Amino acid sequence: MNSRIHGRRLAALQLALCLALLAPLEQAGAAENDDSREAVLRAAYLYNLCLFVEWPAQTYPNASAPLVVGVAGRNAFLDVVVESMKGRTVAGRRIDVRRITSTAEARETHLVFLGFSDSAKNVEFLTALKGLPVLTVGDSREFAAGGGIVRLFRDRSEEHTSELQSRF
């Protein structure tokens, strides 16, 4: 009987030790999971913005041309946007998601997410896109003040929201 109790205590101690060692990994996974969920939510915002914006007909080279969504500055987010928009259409047009590395490429989009950590890079792109029919979206604090049209952010209550510039 004593050996059975000792064996159970030893097993419980081993389990507790394993859980204690795995707890930091679980917390890191939870943080990563939160980041992943936030990225998916932001990608959904981008898609929904596409649904509510009507671009001038001349922004498309022909009647079957896709709606072009670009992601600049955040390669990991590009994968999330590609996956979330796969197979979707807007106003009968397929969505083509592209990695944007230059202002010239950004000019060829209908919607571009600017996710540069360097605010000067965001300003460079916003300046190059000023006056063009490109919906600019970002999430940096100074994005809207720098000329961006839609800023995605979390407010104090941890709800996702957006800030829309009224320049249309």
Side-chain angles (χ1 to χ4, degrees):
M1 183 96 155
N2 262 349
S3 64
R4 193 178 303 168
I5 292 173
H6 178 70
R8 287 183 184 163
R9 284 184 182 165
L10 183 60
L13 182 61
Q14 288 172 333
L15 179 61
L17 182 59
C18 285
L19 291 175
L21 292 173
L22 292 175
L25 297 175
E26 184 179 317
Q27 289 171 350
E32 185 177 304
N33 208 10
D34 284 348
D35 290 345
S36 296
R37 275 184 276 183
E38 186 165 332
V40 168
L41 186 57
R42 286 175 189 253
Y45 266 99
L46 295 183
Y47 175 70
N48 284 316
L49 285 169
C50 291
L51 294 175
F52 291 100
V53 175
E54 186 176 329
W55 282 270
Q58 67 269 23
T59 63
Y60 299 97
N62 58 56
S64 62
L67 180 119
V68 179
V69 173
V71 176
R74 251 188 234 155
N75 292 335
F77 185 54
L78 173 73
D79 296 336
V80 175
V81 175
V82 166
E83 189 61 34
S84 71
M85 293 194 188
K86 190 183 294 181
R88 294 183 182 251
T89 61
V90 172
R93 296 181 185 275
R94 70 179 174 78
I95 300 173
D96 183 14
V97 181
R98 300 178 185 172
R99 172 178 284 115
I100 303 301
T101 58
S102 70
T103 57
E105 291 173 342
R107 285 185 194 101
E108 297 173 6
T109 66
H110 296 93
L111 180 150
V112 64
F113 178 85
L114 300 175
F116 296 107
S117 56
D118 177 11
S119 61
K121 197 75 168 160
N122 281 330
V123 170
E124 174 190 340
F125 273 71
L126 291 170
T127 301
L129 297 171
K130 189 173 185 169
L132 296 177
V134 176
L135 179 60
T136 55
V137 182
D139 59 4
S140 64
R141 286 190 184 275
E142 66 284 339
F143 188 77
I149 297 172
V150 177
R151 177 181 162 233
L152 302 177
F153 64 96
R154 281 183 135 181
D155 70 6
R156 287 188 197 118
S157 66
E158 295 298 312
E159 298 206 10
H160 288 82
T161 188
S162 62
E163 176 177 57
L164 179 63
Q165 291 287 81
S166 56
R167 282 194 277 236
F168 290 107

